[in-house]
Amino acid sequence: MDQEDFEVNMEKKTLEEKKTAKLFTCEVCDRGFTRRDSWRRHQKTQHGAKEKKKTEKYFCRVCAQHFTRRYNWLRHQRTHHQPQTKKRFTCPTCDRAFFRRANLIRHQQRHDNKKERVWHCENCEESFYRLWDWRTHQRGKHGSCLD
């Protein structure tokens, strides 16, 4: 084996070691994990650890909604409580208007017949296209804790 082959083999070995390195270790049972989400899931399922909730520092005085990030609070104020703000993005199918282009795009997906409402509420007749919308509904309408 010449020097060049040796260096290539060492690079491969180093990459493999990085891929399999246990960067996250459980403090209770010393089990190692390569990914943070696996470590967190282990903490929660095996040791009953609860994640810290972010504090909601921003509060809407109009509708009493809370926000963890200032940006989201400001966007909420601008889109929900300032009548002079114009909804610039209109759906060509049903004429519903939106403040943000991303919301229009998400809405337009609902007109697509291929997409089904796969998330069904067990407490009422509502159904949803997205898991996020179903979770928001559960928390808002039924006070469910889904953690």
mmCIF file of all heavy atoms in Angstrom, residues 99-143:
data_model
loop_
_atom_site.group_PDB
_atom_site.id
_atom_site.type_symbol
_atom_site.label_atom_id
_atom_site.label_comp_id
_atom_site.label_asym_id
_atom_site.label_seq_id
_atom_site.Cartn_x
_atom_site.Cartn_y
_atom_site.Cartn_z
ATOM 1 N N PHE A 99 -52.766 37.553 3.239
ATOM 2 C CA PHE A 99 -51.707 38.522 3.454
ATOM 3 C C PHE A 99 -50.379 38.002 2.919
ATOM 4 O O PHE A 99 -49.560 38.756 2.434
ATOM 5 C CB PHE A 99 -51.536 38.832 4.947
ATOM 6 C CG PHE A 99 -52.698 39.563 5.534
ATOM 7 C CD1 PHE A 99 -53.610 38.919 6.348
ATOM 8 C CD2 PHE A 99 -52.896 40.913 5.283
ATOM 9 C CE1 PHE A 99 -54.676 39.593 6.906
ATOM 10 C CE2 PHE A 99 -53.957 41.598 5.834
ATOM 11 C CZ PHE A 99 -54.852 40.928 6.640
ATOM 12 N N ARG A 100 -50.172 36.698 3.061
ATOM 13 C CA ARG A 100 -48.889 36.106 2.704
ATOM 14 C C ARG A 100 -49.029 35.143 1.533
ATOM 15 O O ARG A 100 -49.978 34.370 1.460
ATOM 16 C CB ARG A 100 -48.313 35.369 3.906
ATOM 17 C CG ARG A 100 -48.082 36.302 5.088
ATOM 18 C CD ARG A 100 -47.599 35.569 6.324
ATOM 19 N NE ARG A 100 -46.349 34.918 6.067
ATOM 20 C CZ ARG A 100 -46.082 33.677 6.473
ATOM 21 N NH1 ARG A 100 -46.961 32.988 7.146
ATOM 22 N NH2 ARG A 100 -44.913 33.133 6.211
ATOM 23 N N ARG A 101 -48.051 35.169 0.630
ATOM 24 C CA ARG A 101 -48.046 34.294 -0.540
ATOM 25 C C ARG A 101 -48.006 32.820 -0.120
ATOM 26 O O ARG A 101 -48.661 31.981 -0.723
ATOM 27 C CB ARG A 101 -46.839 34.632 -1.427
ATOM 28 C CG ARG A 101 -46.784 33.831 -2.696
ATOM 29 C CD ARG A 101 -45.633 34.320 -3.581
ATOM 30 N NE ARG A 101 -45.597 33.602 -4.818
ATOM 31 C CZ ARG A 101 -44.867 32.500 -5.003
ATOM 32 N NH1 ARG A 101 -44.115 32.027 -4.045
ATOM 33 N NH2 ARG A 101 -44.896 31.887 -6.170
ATOM 34 N N ALA A 102 -47.257 32.518 0.918
ATOM 35 C CA ALA A 102 -47.143 31.134 1.382
ATOM 36 C C ALA A 102 -48.515 30.584 1.796
ATOM 37 O O ALA A 102 -48.829 29.419 1.550
ATOM 38 C CB ALA A 102 -46.168 31.044 2.553
ATOM 39 N N ASN A 103 -49.340 31.427 2.406
ATOM 40 C CA ASN A 103 -50.683 30.985 2.805
ATOM 41 C C ASN A 103 -51.560 30.742 1.588
ATOM 42 O O ASN A 103 -52.377 29.813 1.584
ATOM 43 C CB ASN A 103 -51.324 32.013 3.721
ATOM 44 C CG ASN A 103 -50.639 32.078 5.067
ATOM 45 O OD1 ASN A 103 -49.843 31.212 5.418
ATOM 46 N ND2 ASN A 103 -50.915 33.124 5.820
ATOM 47 N N LEU A 104 -51.412 31.551 0.554
ATOM 48 C CA LEU A 104 -52.161 31.325 -0.685
ATOM 49 C C LEU A 104 -51.763 29.998 -1.315
ATOM 50 O O LEU A 104 -52.629 29.211 -1.721
ATOM 51 C CB LEU A 104 -51.932 32.461 -1.680
ATOM 52 C CG LEU A 104 -52.471 32.219 -3.094
ATOM 53 C CD1 LEU A 104 -53.987 32.058 -3.079
ATOM 54 C CD2 LEU A 104 -52.050 33.332 -4.023
ATOM 55 N N ILE A 105 -50.479 29.735 -1.377
ATOM 56 C CA ILE A 105 -50.003 28.477 -1.967
ATOM 57 C C ILE A 105 -50.543 27.287 -1.195
ATOM 58 O O ILE A 105 -51.034 26.314 -1.775
ATOM 59 C CB ILE A 105 -48.466 28.464 -2.024
ATOM 60 C CG1 ILE A 105 -47.988 29.506 -3.036
ATOM 61 C CG2 ILE A 105 -47.938 27.081 -2.367
ATOM 62 C CD1 ILE A 105 -46.496 29.768 -3.011
ATOM 63 N N ARG A 106 -50.497 27.361 0.129
ATOM 64 C CA ARG A 106 -51.036 26.271 0.955
ATOM 65 C C ARG A 106 -52.532 26.109 0.715
ATOM 66 O O ARG A 106 -53.040 25.010 0.588
ATOM 67 C CB ARG A 106 -50.748 26.536 2.427
ATOM 68 C CG ARG A 106 -51.182 25.382 3.320
ATOM 69 C CD ARG A 106 -50.852 25.626 4.762
ATOM 70 N NE ARG A 106 -51.632 26.734 5.260
ATOM 71 C CZ ARG A 106 -51.185 27.640 6.109
ATOM 72 N NH1 ARG A 106 -49.970 27.597 6.560
ATOM 73 N NH2 ARG A 106 -51.975 28.615 6.525
ATOM 74 N N HIS A 107 -53.237 27.225 0.616
ATOM 75 C CA HIS A 107 -54.677 27.197 0.356
ATOM 76 C C HIS A 107 -54.979 26.569 -1.008
ATOM 77 O O HIS A 107 -55.897 25.765 -1.131
ATOM 78 C CB HIS A 107 -55.238 28.620 0.411
ATOM 79 C CG HIS A 107 -56.619 28.732 -0.142
ATOM 80 N ND1 HIS A 107 -57.735 28.357 0.566
ATOM 81 C CD2 HIS A 107 -57.063 29.174 -1.347
ATOM 82 C CE1 HIS A 107 -58.808 28.564 -0.187
ATOM 83 N NE2 HIS A 107 -58.430 29.059 -1.347
ATOM 84 N N GLN A 108 -54.210 26.923 -2.023
ATOM 85 C CA GLN A 108 -54.453 26.400 -3.362
ATOM 86 C C GLN A 108 -54.307 24.881 -3.422
ATOM 87 O O GLN A 108 -54.982 24.226 -4.209
ATOM 88 C CB GLN A 108 -53.521 27.067 -4.375
ATOM 89 C CG GLN A 108 -53.930 28.491 -4.679
ATOM 90 C CD GLN A 108 -52.952 29.187 -5.598
ATOM 91 O OE1 GLN A 108 -51.745 29.112 -5.391
ATOM 92 N NE2 GLN A 108 -53.484 29.872 -6.596
ATOM 93 N N GLN A 109 -53.472 24.334 -2.576
ATOM 94 C CA GLN A 109 -53.319 22.882 -2.526
ATOM 95 C C GLN A 109 -54.631 22.210 -2.122
ATOM 96 O O GLN A 109 -54.900 21.083 -2.493
ATOM 97 C CB GLN A 109 -52.215 22.490 -1.547
ATOM 98 C CG GLN A 109 -50.839 22.890 -2.017
ATOM 99 C CD GLN A 109 -49.788 22.654 -0.967
ATOM 100 O OE1 GLN A 109 -50.089 22.426 0.206
ATOM 101 N NE2 GLN A 109 -48.534 22.717 -1.375
ATOM 102 N N ARG A 110 -55.443 22.909 -1.388
ATOM 103 C CA ARG A 110 -56.718 22.356 -0.939
ATOM 104 C C ARG A 110 -57.716 22.215 -2.080
ATOM 105 O O ARG A 110 -58.653 21.437 -1.987
ATOM 106 C CB ARG A 110 -57.290 23.212 0.174
ATOM 107 C CG ARG A 110 -56.408 23.179 1.389
ATOM 108 C CD ARG A 110 -56.888 24.092 2.465
ATOM 109 N NE ARG A 110 -55.955 23.981 3.591
ATOM 110 C CZ ARG A 110 -56.126 24.561 4.732
ATOM 111 N NH1 ARG A 110 -57.170 25.317 4.954
ATOM 112 N NH2 ARG A 110 -55.240 24.414 5.703
ATOM 113 N N HIS A 111 -57.534 22.977 -3.132
ATOM 114 C CA HIS A 111 -58.402 22.856 -4.298
ATOM 115 C C HIS A 111 -58.028 21.650 -5.157
ATOM 116 O O HIS A 111 -58.797 21.241 -6.017
ATOM 117 C CB HIS A 111 -58.338 24.130 -5.151
ATOM 118 C CG HIS A 111 -58.979 25.314 -4.512
ATOM 119 N ND1 HIS A 111 -60.300 25.323 -4.111
ATOM 120 C CD2 HIS A 111 -58.474 26.529 -4.179
ATOM 121 C CE1 HIS A 111 -60.585 26.505 -3.581
ATOM 122 N NE2 HIS A 111 -59.493 27.248 -3.601
ATOM 123 N N ASP A 112 -56.860 21.114 -4.914
ATOM 124 C CA ASP A 112 -56.389 19.965 -5.678
ATOM 125 C C ASP A 112 -57.178 18.733 -5.235
ATOM 126 O O ASP A 112 -57.149 18.334 -4.080
ATOM 127 C CB ASP A 112 -54.893 19.768 -5.420
ATOM 128 C CG ASP A 112 -54.300 18.631 -6.217
ATOM 129 O OD1 ASP A 112 -55.033 18.016 -7.016
ATOM 130 O OD2 ASP A 112 -53.101 18.370 -6.045
ATOM 131 N N ASN A 113 -57.897 18.109 -6.135
ATOM 132 C CA ASN A 113 -58.752 16.957 -5.799
ATOM 133 C C ASN A 113 -57.967 15.745 -5.335
ATOM 134 O O ASN A 113 -58.523 14.857 -4.701
ATOM 135 C CB ASN A 113 -59.608 16.572 -7.008
ATOM 136 C CG ASN A 113 -60.640 17.632 -7.310
ATOM 137 O OD1 ASN A 113 -61.057 18.375 -6.421
ATOM 138 N ND2 ASN A 113 -61.040 17.730 -8.565
ATOM 139 N N LYS A 114 -56.677 15.688 -5.649
ATOM 140 C CA LYS A 114 -55.871 14.532 -5.272
ATOM 141 C C LYS A 114 -55.574 14.509 -3.779
ATOM 142 O O LYS A 114 -55.325 13.474 -3.210
ATOM 143 C CB LYS A 114 -54.551 14.542 -6.038
ATOM 144 C CG LYS A 114 -54.729 14.392 -7.524
ATOM 145 C CD LYS A 114 -53.401 14.539 -8.220
ATOM 146 C CE LYS A 114 -53.600 14.581 -9.723
ATOM 147 N NZ LYS A 114 -52.383 14.943 -10.428
ATOM 148 N N LYS A 115 -55.601 15.663 -3.164
ATOM 149 C CA LYS A 115 -55.235 15.758 -1.752
ATOM 150 C C LYS A 115 -56.453 15.513 -0.876
ATOM 151 O O LYS A 115 -57.485 16.150 -1.023
ATOM 152 C CB LYS A 115 -54.643 17.131 -1.467
ATOM 153 C CG LYS A 115 -54.017 17.212 -0.107
ATOM 154 C CD LYS A 115 -52.976 18.278 -0.062
ATOM 155 C CE LYS A 115 -52.334 18.229 1.302
ATOM 156 N NZ LYS A 115 -51.133 18.943 1.389
ATOM 157 N N GLU A 116 -56.343 14.562 0.038
ATOM 158 C CA GLU A 116 -57.453 14.221 0.933
ATOM 159 C C GLU A 116 -57.212 14.781 2.326
ATOM 160 O O GLU A 116 -56.085 14.997 2.732
ATOM 161 C CB GLU A 116 -57.581 12.697 1.042
ATOM 162 C CG GLU A 116 -58.042 12.022 -0.222
ATOM 163 C CD GLU A 116 -58.218 10.537 -0.013
ATOM 164 O OE1 GLU A 116 -58.671 10.140 1.084
ATOM 165 O OE2 GLU A 116 -57.895 9.783 -0.925
ATOM 166 N N ARG A 117 -58.290 14.956 3.020
ATOM 167 C CA ARG A 117 -58.185 15.351 4.425
ATOM 168 C C ARG A 117 -57.953 14.083 5.238
ATOM 169 O O ARG A 117 -58.882 13.316 5.473
ATOM 170 C CB ARG A 117 -59.467 16.043 4.877
ATOM 171 C CG ARG A 117 -59.700 17.366 4.194
ATOM 172 C CD ARG A 117 -60.995 17.976 4.667
ATOM 173 N NE ARG A 117 -61.234 19.229 3.996
ATOM 174 C CZ ARG A 117 -61.502 20.371 4.619
ATOM 175 N NH1 ARG A 117 -61.583 20.401 5.924
ATOM 176 N NH2 ARG A 117 -61.699 21.467 3.944
ATOM 177 N N VAL A 118 -56.725 13.877 5.635
ATOM 178 C CA VAL A 118 -56.361 12.627 6.304
ATOM 179 C C VAL A 118 -56.328 12.732 7.823
ATOM 180 O O VAL A 118 -56.253 11.728 8.507
ATOM 181 C CB VAL A 118 -55.001 12.090 5.790
ATOM 182 C CG1 VAL A 118 -55.102 11.718 4.326
ATOM 183 C CG2 VAL A 118 -53.896 13.110 6.006
ATOM 184 N N TRP A 119 -56.399 13.947 8.361
ATOM 185 C CA TRP A 119 -56.363 14.138 9.808
ATOM 186 C C TRP A 119 -57.776 14.455 10.286
ATOM 187 O O TRP A 119 -58.311 15.499 9.993
ATOM 188 C CB TRP A 119 -55.393 15.261 10.186
ATOM 189 C CG TRP A 119 -54.007 14.935 9.733
ATOM 190 C CD1 TRP A 119 -53.388 15.365 8.605
ATOM 191 C CD2 TRP A 119 -53.096 14.068 10.387
ATOM 192 N NE1 TRP A 119 -52.140 14.827 8.521
ATOM 193 C CE2 TRP A 119 -51.929 14.027 9.594
ATOM 194 C CE3 TRP A 119 -53.153 13.313 11.560
ATOM 195 C CZ2 TRP A 119 -50.821 13.263 9.947
ATOM 196 C CZ3 TRP A 119 -52.052 12.561 11.906
ATOM 197 C CH2 TRP A 119 -50.908 12.538 11.117
ATOM 198 N N HIS A 120 -58.388 13.534 11.029
ATOM 199 C CA HIS A 120 -59.768 13.668 11.479
ATOM 200 C C HIS A 120 -59.821 13.869 12.992
ATOM 201 O O HIS A 120 -59.145 13.177 13.745
ATOM 202 C CB HIS A 120 -60.569 12.417 11.105
ATOM 203 C CG HIS A 120 -60.551 12.134 9.636
ATOM 204 N ND1 HIS A 120 -61.345 12.806 8.746
ATOM 205 C CD2 HIS A 120 -59.800 11.280 8.908
ATOM 206 C CE1 HIS A 120 -61.111 12.362 7.528
ATOM 207 N NE2 HIS A 120 -60.162 11.435 7.592
ATOM 208 N N CYS A 121 -60.643 14.809 13.413
ATOM 209 C CA CYS A 121 -60.822 15.074 14.835
ATOM 210 C C CYS A 121 -61.771 14.037 15.413
ATOM 211 O O CYS A 121 -62.840 13.782 14.861
ATOM 212 C CB CYS A 121 -61.389 16.481 15.027
ATOM 213 S SG CYS A 121 -61.670 16.877 16.761
ATOM 214 N N GLU A 122 -61.376 13.456 16.529
ATOM 215 C CA GLU A 122 -62.220 12.454 17.189
ATOM 216 C C GLU A 122 -63.307 13.095 18.044
ATOM 217 O O GLU A 122 -64.240 12.434 18.468
ATOM 218 C CB GLU A 122 -61.348 11.537 18.061
ATOM 219 C CG GLU A 122 -60.367 10.718 17.257
ATOM 220 C CD GLU A 122 -59.442 9.898 18.139
ATOM 221 O OE1 GLU A 122 -59.537 9.999 19.375
ATOM 222 O OE2 GLU A 122 -58.619 9.163 17.568
ATOM 223 N N ASN A 123 -63.205 14.409 18.286
ATOM 224 C CA ASN A 123 -64.157 15.102 19.144
ATOM 225 C C ASN A 123 -65.270 15.803 18.378
ATOM 226 O O ASN A 123 -66.289 16.152 18.954
ATOM 227 C CB ASN A 123 -63.424 16.133 20.010
ATOM 228 C CG ASN A 123 -62.388 15.471 20.895
ATOM 229 O OD1 ASN A 123 -62.682 14.518 21.579
ATOM 230 N ND2 ASN A 123 -61.168 15.961 20.836
ATOM 231 N N CYS A 124 -65.048 16.051 17.084
ATOM 232 C CA CYS A 124 -66.061 16.721 16.276
ATOM 233 C C CYS A 124 -65.925 16.256 14.825
ATOM 234 O O CYS A 124 -65.156 15.346 14.536
ATOM 235 C CB CYS A 124 -65.953 18.237 16.402
ATOM 236 S SG CYS A 124 -64.447 18.936 15.695
ATOM 237 N N GLU A 125 -66.626 16.873 13.931
ATOM 238 C CA GLU A 125 -66.634 16.442 12.532
ATOM 239 C C GLU A 125 -65.534 17.049 11.672
ATOM 240 O O GLU A 125 -65.462 16.763 10.481
ATOM 241 C CB GLU A 125 -68.004 16.800 11.906
ATOM 242 C CG GLU A 125 -69.166 16.094 12.572
ATOM 243 C CD GLU A 125 -69.095 14.577 12.419
ATOM 244 O OE1 GLU A 125 -68.821 14.097 11.307
ATOM 245 O OE2 GLU A 125 -69.306 13.878 13.426
ATOM 246 N N GLU A 126 -64.667 17.869 12.230
ATOM 247 C CA GLU A 126 -63.631 18.544 11.448
ATOM 248 C C GLU A 126 -62.583 17.549 10.933
ATOM 249 O O GLU A 126 -62.267 16.563 11.586
ATOM 250 C CB GLU A 126 -62.916 19.593 12.305
ATOM 251 C CG GLU A 126 -63.769 20.764 12.679
ATOM 252 C CD GLU A 126 -63.874 21.788 11.554
ATOM 253 O OE1 GLU A 126 -63.024 21.797 10.648
ATOM 254 O OE2 GLU A 126 -64.811 22.580 11.609
ATOM 255 N N SER A 127 -62.035 17.846 9.766
ATOM 256 C CA SER A 127 -60.918 17.072 9.214
ATOM 257 C C SER A 127 -59.952 18.047 8.548
ATOM 258 O O SER A 127 -60.329 19.154 8.168
ATOM 259 C CB SER A 127 -61.409 16.018 8.227
ATOM 260 O OG SER A 127 -62.101 16.617 7.165
ATOM 261 N N PHE A 128 -58.694 17.613 8.406
ATOM 262 C CA PHE A 128 -57.639 18.526 7.999
ATOM 263 C C PHE A 128 -56.696 17.885 7.004
ATOM 264 O O PHE A 128 -56.504 16.673 6.994
ATOM 265 C CB PHE A 128 -56.849 18.993 9.240
ATOM 266 C CG PHE A 128 -57.736 19.601 10.277
ATOM 267 C CD1 PHE A 128 -58.300 18.818 11.263
ATOM 268 C CD2 PHE A 128 -58.036 20.938 10.243
ATOM 269 C CE1 PHE A 128 -59.158 19.368 12.211
ATOM 270 C CE2 PHE A 128 -58.888 21.505 11.180
ATOM 271 C CZ PHE A 128 -59.449 20.714 12.166
ATOM 272 N N TYR A 129 -56.094 18.740 6.161
ATOM 273 C CA TYR A 129 -55.114 18.302 5.186
ATOM 274 C C TYR A 129 -53.744 18.116 5.829
ATOM 275 O O TYR A 129 -52.969 17.272 5.426
ATOM 276 C CB TYR A 129 -54.961 19.352 4.068
ATOM 277 C CG TYR A 129 -56.210 19.570 3.274
ATOM 278 C CD1 TYR A 129 -57.040 20.648 3.539
ATOM 279 C CD2 TYR A 129 -56.563 18.711 2.246
ATOM 280 C CE1 TYR A 129 -58.189 20.869 2.802
ATOM 281 C CE2 TYR A 129 -57.707 18.910 1.513
ATOM 282 C CZ TYR A 129 -58.522 19.987 1.788
ATOM 283 O OH TYR A 129 -59.651 20.191 1.062
ATOM 284 N N ARG A 130 -53.457 18.959 6.820
ATOM 285 C CA ARG A 130 -52.126 18.965 7.415
ATOM 286 C C ARG A 130 -52.181 18.627 8.896
ATOM 287 O O ARG A 130 -53.094 19.030 9.607
ATOM 288 C CB ARG A 130 -51.483 20.347 7.262
ATOM 289 C CG ARG A 130 -51.322 20.773 5.828
ATOM 290 C CD ARG A 130 -50.658 22.131 5.695
ATOM 291 N NE ARG A 130 -51.049 23.082 6.715
ATOM 292 C CZ ARG A 130 -50.227 23.965 7.264
ATOM 293 N NH1 ARG A 130 -48.987 24.019 6.920
ATOM 294 N NH2 ARG A 130 -50.676 24.800 8.181
ATOM 295 N N LEU A 131 -51.168 17.901 9.352
ATOM 296 C CA LEU A 131 -51.040 17.555 10.764
ATOM 297 C C LEU A 131 -51.000 18.808 11.621
ATOM 298 O O LEU A 131 -51.619 18.866 12.683
ATOM 299 C CB LEU A 131 -49.782 16.718 10.988
ATOM 300 C CG LEU A 131 -49.420 16.379 12.433
ATOM 301 C CD1 LEU A 131 -50.534 15.573 13.089
ATOM 302 C CD2 LEU A 131 -48.101 15.637 12.489
ATOM 303 N N TRP A 132 -50.282 19.842 11.170
ATOM 304 C CA TRP A 132 -50.185 21.097 11.921
ATOM 305 C C TRP A 132 -51.566 21.690 12.198
ATOM 306 O O TRP A 132 -51.863 22.123 13.303
ATOM 307 C CB TRP A 132 -49.325 22.086 11.149
ATOM 308 C CG TRP A 132 -49.255 23.429 11.801
ATOM 309 C CD1 TRP A 132 -50.017 24.512 11.516
ATOM 310 C CD2 TRP A 132 -48.425 23.821 12.885
ATOM 311 N NE1 TRP A 132 -49.689 25.570 12.331
ATOM 312 C CE2 TRP A 132 -48.724 25.165 13.183
ATOM 313 C CE3 TRP A 132 -47.450 23.175 13.628
ATOM 314 C CZ2 TRP A 132 -48.070 25.857 14.188
ATOM 315 C CZ3 TRP A 132 -46.818 23.881 14.622
ATOM 316 C CH2 TRP A 132 -47.118 25.201 14.900
ATOM 317 N N ASP A 133 -52.425 21.714 11.172
ATOM 318 C CA ASP A 133 -53.773 22.268 11.340
ATOM 319 C C ASP A 133 -54.599 21.442 12.317
ATOM 320 O O ASP A 133 -55.343 21.983 13.122
ATOM 321 C CB ASP A 133 -54.482 22.350 9.985
ATOM 322 C CG ASP A 133 -53.818 23.332 9.048
ATOM 323 O OD1 ASP A 133 -53.212 24.301 9.539
ATOM 324 O OD2 ASP A 133 -53.909 23.121 7.826
ATOM 325 N N TRP A 134 -54.452 20.118 12.249
ATOM 326 C CA TRP A 134 -55.171 19.231 13.171
ATOM 327 C C TRP A 134 -54.730 19.496 14.605
ATOM 328 O O TRP A 134 -55.561 19.608 15.510
ATOM 329 C CB TRP A 134 -54.922 17.771 12.783
ATOM 330 C CG TRP A 134 -55.537 16.785 13.716
ATOM 331 C CD1 TRP A 134 -56.829 16.357 13.733
ATOM 332 C CD2 TRP A 134 -54.876 16.084 14.784
ATOM 333 N NE1 TRP A 134 -57.013 15.438 14.739
ATOM 334 C CE2 TRP A 134 -55.833 15.253 15.396
ATOM 335 C CE3 TRP A 134 -53.564 16.081 15.262
ATOM 336 C CZ2 TRP A 134 -55.517 14.426 16.468
ATOM 337 C CZ3 TRP A 134 -53.254 15.264 16.329
ATOM 338 C CH2 TRP A 134 -54.230 14.453 16.921
ATOM 339 N N ARG A 135 -53.404 19.610 14.823
ATOM 340 C CA ARG A 135 -52.884 19.875 16.173
ATOM 341 C C ARG A 135 -53.368 21.225 16.697
ATOM 342 O O ARG A 135 -53.758 21.348 17.857
ATOM 343 C CB ARG A 135 -51.358 19.838 16.176
ATOM 344 C CG ARG A 135 -50.804 18.453 16.111
ATOM 345 C CD ARG A 135 -49.301 18.471 16.231
ATOM 346 N NE ARG A 135 -48.801 17.118 16.333
ATOM 347 C CZ ARG A 135 -47.579 16.762 16.025
ATOM 348 N NH1 ARG A 135 -46.725 17.665 15.596
ATOM 349 N NH2 ARG A 135 -47.192 15.517 16.142
ATOM 350 N N THR A 136 -53.331 22.236 15.839
ATOM 351 C CA THR A 136 -53.802 23.560 16.235
ATOM 352 C C THR A 136 -55.279 23.507 16.617
ATOM 353 O O THR A 136 -55.702 24.099 17.608
ATOM 354 C CB THR A 136 -53.581 24.564 15.085
ATOM 355 O OG1 THR A 136 -52.185 24.578 14.754
ATOM 356 C CG2 THR A 136 -54.024 25.963 15.478
ATOM 357 N N HIS A 137 -56.059 22.776 15.857
ATOM 358 C CA HIS A 137 -57.484 22.606 16.147
ATOM 359 C C HIS A 137 -57.671 21.918 17.497
ATOM 360 O O HIS A 137 -58.485 22.350 18.313
ATOM 361 C CB HIS A 137 -58.148 21.767 15.043
ATOM 362 C CG HIS A 137 -59.512 21.285 15.371
ATOM 363 N ND1 HIS A 137 -60.628 22.100 15.269
ATOM 364 C CD2 HIS A 137 -59.956 20.078 15.808
ATOM 365 C CE1 HIS A 137 -61.701 21.406 15.627
ATOM 366 N NE2 HIS A 137 -61.308 20.179 15.951
ATOM 367 N N GLN A 138 -56.925 20.845 17.753
ATOM 368 C CA GLN A 138 -57.046 20.093 19.005
ATOM 369 C C GLN A 138 -56.760 20.987 20.200
ATOM 370 O O GLN A 138 -57.483 20.984 21.197
ATOM 371 C CB GLN A 138 -56.106 18.877 19.007
ATOM 372 C CG GLN A 138 -56.462 17.814 18.014
ATOM 373 C CD GLN A 138 -57.816 17.188 18.282
ATOM 374 O OE1 GLN A 138 -58.160 16.877 19.410
ATOM 375 N NE2 GLN A 138 -58.596 17.052 17.242
ATOM 376 N N ARG A 139 -55.697 21.764 20.095
ATOM 377 C CA ARG A 139 -55.318 22.655 21.210
ATOM 378 C C ARG A 139 -56.328 23.786 21.389
ATOM 379 O O ARG A 139 -56.703 24.104 22.507
ATOM 380 C CB ARG A 139 -53.931 23.228 20.962
ATOM 381 C CG ARG A 139 -52.822 22.230 21.138
ATOM 382 C CD ARG A 139 -51.458 22.888 21.031
ATOM 383 N NE ARG A 139 -50.409 21.885 21.103
ATOM 384 C CZ ARG A 139 -49.613 21.593 20.086
ATOM 385 N NH1 ARG A 139 -49.716 22.207 18.945
ATOM 386 N NH2 ARG A 139 -48.697 20.655 20.237
ATOM 387 N N GLY A 140 -56.739 24.383 20.282
ATOM 388 C CA GLY A 140 -57.613 25.558 20.350
ATOM 389 C C GLY A 140 -59.063 25.253 20.670
ATOM 390 O O GLY A 140 -59.685 25.931 21.464
ATOM 391 N N LYS A 141 -59.601 24.224 20.056
ATOM 392 C CA LYS A 141 -61.026 23.922 20.212
ATOM 393 C C LYS A 141 -61.321 22.972 21.355
ATOM 394 O O LYS A 141 -62.374 23.036 21.976
ATOM 395 C CB LYS A 141 -61.589 23.298 18.920
ATOM 396 C CG LYS A 141 -61.516 24.197 17.723
ATOM 397 C CD LYS A 141 -62.487 25.356 17.849
ATOM 398 C CE LYS A 141 -62.433 26.180 16.564
ATOM 399 N NZ LYS A 141 -63.147 27.408 16.674
ATOM 400 N N HIS A 142 -60.409 22.058 21.614
ATOM 401 C CA HIS A 142 -60.690 21.015 22.604
ATOM 402 C C HIS A 142 -59.714 21.029 23.783
ATOM 403 O O HIS A 142 -59.822 20.193 24.675
ATOM 404 C CB HIS A 142 -60.654 19.634 21.929
ATOM 405 C CG HIS A 142 -61.564 19.518 20.750
ATOM 406 N ND1 HIS A 142 -62.940 19.678 20.845
ATOM 407 C CD2 HIS A 142 -61.313 19.326 19.436
ATOM 408 C CE1 HIS A 142 -63.477 19.549 19.645
ATOM 409 N NE2 HIS A 142 -62.514 19.339 18.769
ATOM 410 N N GLY A 143 -58.753 21.944 23.762
ATOM 411 C CA GLY A 143 -57.808 22.069 24.878
ATOM 412 C C GLY A 143 -56.951 20.856 25.073
ATOM 413 O O GLY A 143 -56.474 20.583 26.165
#
